[in-house]
Amino acid sequence: MKQLPVIFCFFCLLSYSQEREKLVTVKKVLKLMGTRFELTVVAQNEEIGYINIQEAVAEIIRIEKMISSWDADSETSLINKNAGIKPVKVSSELYRLIERSKKISEITDGAFDISYASMDNIWKFDGTMDRLPIDSKIKTSISKIGHEKITLNKEAQTVYLEEEGMRIGFGAIGKGFAADKTKELLISKGVKAGLINASGDLTTWGTKATGEKWMIGIANPLSKNRVFSWLPIVESSVATSGNYEKYLIFNGEKYSHIIDPRTGYPTKGINSVSIFAKDAELCDALATAVFILGRDSGIHLINQIPGVEVVVVDGANKIHKSSGILFDNNQ
């Protein structure tokens, strides 16, 4: 009788192993929300896996129709059209996203601000700029920016932009939001494991079909083929902001495409920021905020937020990290 628990455990392990052997990984890469999405699910077979991915794609398209400022019929466009005119009633889903965005603006001292979209397009990173914009134009450009000018009415569920010409945009949080919502949908459909990578905003759940943890690499911004370190991602998310794809160089000085909404000027001193947290939405927003705040202020902020960590690669390509990140910088 004493051997029964051992035998029972043996059959449990055998059953678990056989179940693992049946699982397959289905992956698809496509362009959604104007960027590269990589969708991976672990399923019982390929047919189910592809159905899951189709459901994920439909969810991302739904979210884009809600938050896109380019879609004239979206709720976001309706808010922007009525800036300085009247409050706009919106869905509870969008209302809560804007509410969370305002809270992130508060804790980052405005380094993250969805009203950045009010800024005139005076910085261009498509190779057409031949001179730096003058200070007066930059000051005028940012005059309508300010999360405190976004008025929310919880009871009426309305959003009001106080000044005419104000705009909101979700470029610094939208991909993370979409990743989280898609993950939530797939889990509700019974998908036990997967990975959603929205052009660097990544979230996971469960484990690989083999039972191994999902792993992500902290890349060297100056050499994309080199990885500083591999880190396991368990039921978690990561988002990375970098200046190595879009930037300007004038008189030997590099200007990042990430603009500080408080000053209207590009950020300096950082090559990349990777944020680790449970939700991709928070990772997405904080990656931008830390990039703007700078290495020391950014890491100090992250050390104050429970469950959030950061890895910063500075302008000299040296790696820095928050207190909860444990790996050797020399890897």
Side-chain angles (χ1 to χ4, degrees):
M1 292 296 293
K2 292 181 180 181
Q3 292 184 346
L4 284 178
V6 177
I7 296 172
F8 175 73
C9 288
F10 170 76
F11 280 116
C12 283
L13 289 171
L14 181 62
S15 175
Y16 174 79
S17 175
Q18 289 173 339
E19 182 182 348
R20 275 285 168 195
E21 289 175 2
K22 294 177 184 178
L23 297 177
V24 299
T25 301
V26 178
K27 175 180 172 181
K28 189 169 184 179
V29 177
L30 62 167
K31 189 173 183 180
L32 294 164
M33 296 178 68
T35 193
R36 182 183 187 272
F37 267 77
E38 180 182 314
L39 305 173
T40 304
V41 296
V42 176
Q44 287 83 356
N45 56 60
E46 285 193 358
E47 183 180 1
I48 293 175
Y50 281 115
I51 290 172
N52 294 149
I53 285 180
Q54 287 173 358
E55 291 171 329
V57 170
E59 176 69 353
I60 295 167
I61 291 172
R62 181 190 72 81
I63 291 165
E64 182 178 20
K65 288 181 178 178
M66 176 178 63
I67 69 174
S68 173
S69 56
W70 302 105
D71 184 343
D73 298 323
S74 73
E75 288 185 81
T76 301
S77 290
L78 189 60
I79 293 170
N80 291 339
K81 288 174 185 174
N82 285 280
I85 301 172
K86 64 178 181 179
V88 174
K89 184 173 176 59
V90 298
S91 63
S92 59
E93 193 174 22
L94 182 59
Y95 183 91
R96 289 195 299 269
L97 174 61
I98 296 172
E99 190 175 45
R100 293 193 300 272
S101 296
K102 280 176 64 67
K103 288 179 180 177
I104 295 172
S105 294
E106 291 169 6
I107 68 171
T108 62
D109 193 28
F112 170 84
D113 195 326
I114 58 173
S115 70
Y116 80 93
S118 306
M119 189 185 302
D120 296 326
N121 190 24
I122 59 176
W123 290 95
K124 299 181 186 297
F125 297 88
D126 57 3
T128 60
M129 280 189 71
D130 57 4
R131 67 186 68 183
L132 295 176
I134 61 176
D135 291 346
S136 59
K137 284 190 176 181
I138 291 176
K139 288 180 180 178
T140 301
S141 173
I142 66 170
S143 62
K144 292 182 174 61
I145 295 175
H147 61 91
E148 67 281 353
K149 300 176 185 177
I150 304 172
T151 300
L152 302 180
N153 184 317
K154 194 167 188 177
E155 290 184 3
Q157 204 169 281
T158 59
V159 180
Y160 177 53
L161 307 184
E162 294 179 3
E163 292 188 24
E164 187 177 348
M166 276 188 72
R167 291 172 55 85
I168 58 171
F170 298 98
I173 196 172
K175 297 196 306 295
F177 173 64
D180 283 339
K181 295 296 290 186
T182 304
K183 171 182 173 178
E184 182 182 316
L185 173 73
L186 291 178
I187 290 174
S188 74
K189 298 283 186 179
V191 181
K192 294 183 178 180
L195 181 150
I196 300 167
N197 185 354
S199 190
D201 296 345
L202 182 150
T203 190
T204 72
W205 69 103
T207 60
K208 297 179 183 180
T210 59
E212 298 172 293
K213 297 175 182 176
W214 302 102
M215 301 287 288
I216 66 104
I218 301 298
N220 182 332
L222 301 183
S223 177
K224 293 183 181 179
N225 295 324
R226 180 187 169 196
V227 173
F228 281 122
S229 183
W230 288 95
L231 298 174
I233 299 294
V234 181
E235 305 291 336
S236 189
S237 306
V238 61
T240 298
S241 290
N243 70 351
Y244 38 84
E245 292 182 347
K246 292 182 181 180
Y247 57 88
L248 297 170
I249 296 180
F250 282 110
N251 299 323
E253 190 168 357
K254 188 174 184 179
Y255 295 84
S256 165
H257 76 288
I258 299 176
I259 309 294
D260 187 336
R262 302 167 301 180
T263 67
Y265 284 90
T267 55
K268 296 180 182 179
I270 290 182
N271 283 339
S272 78
V273 173
S274 295
I275 296 284
F276 301 81
K278 182 179 179 182
D279 299 322
E281 175 189 301
L282 183 61
C283 290
D284 196 1
L286 289 179
T288 300
V290 171
F291 208 106
I292 291 168
L293 288 169
R295 183 193 70 193
D296 294 339
S297 296
I299 292 176
H300 177 73
L301 169 68
I302 297 305
N303 280 334
Q304 312 309 309
I305 306 175
V308 181
E309 302 295 341
V310 64
V311 173
V312 176
V313 181
D314 67 19
N317 217 33
K318 292 182 179 179
I319 194 167
H320 309 267
K321 59 199 178 185
S322 55
S323 57
I325 294 284
L326 303 175
F327 67 86
D328 185 356
N329 287 10
N330 297 317
Q331 290 187 64

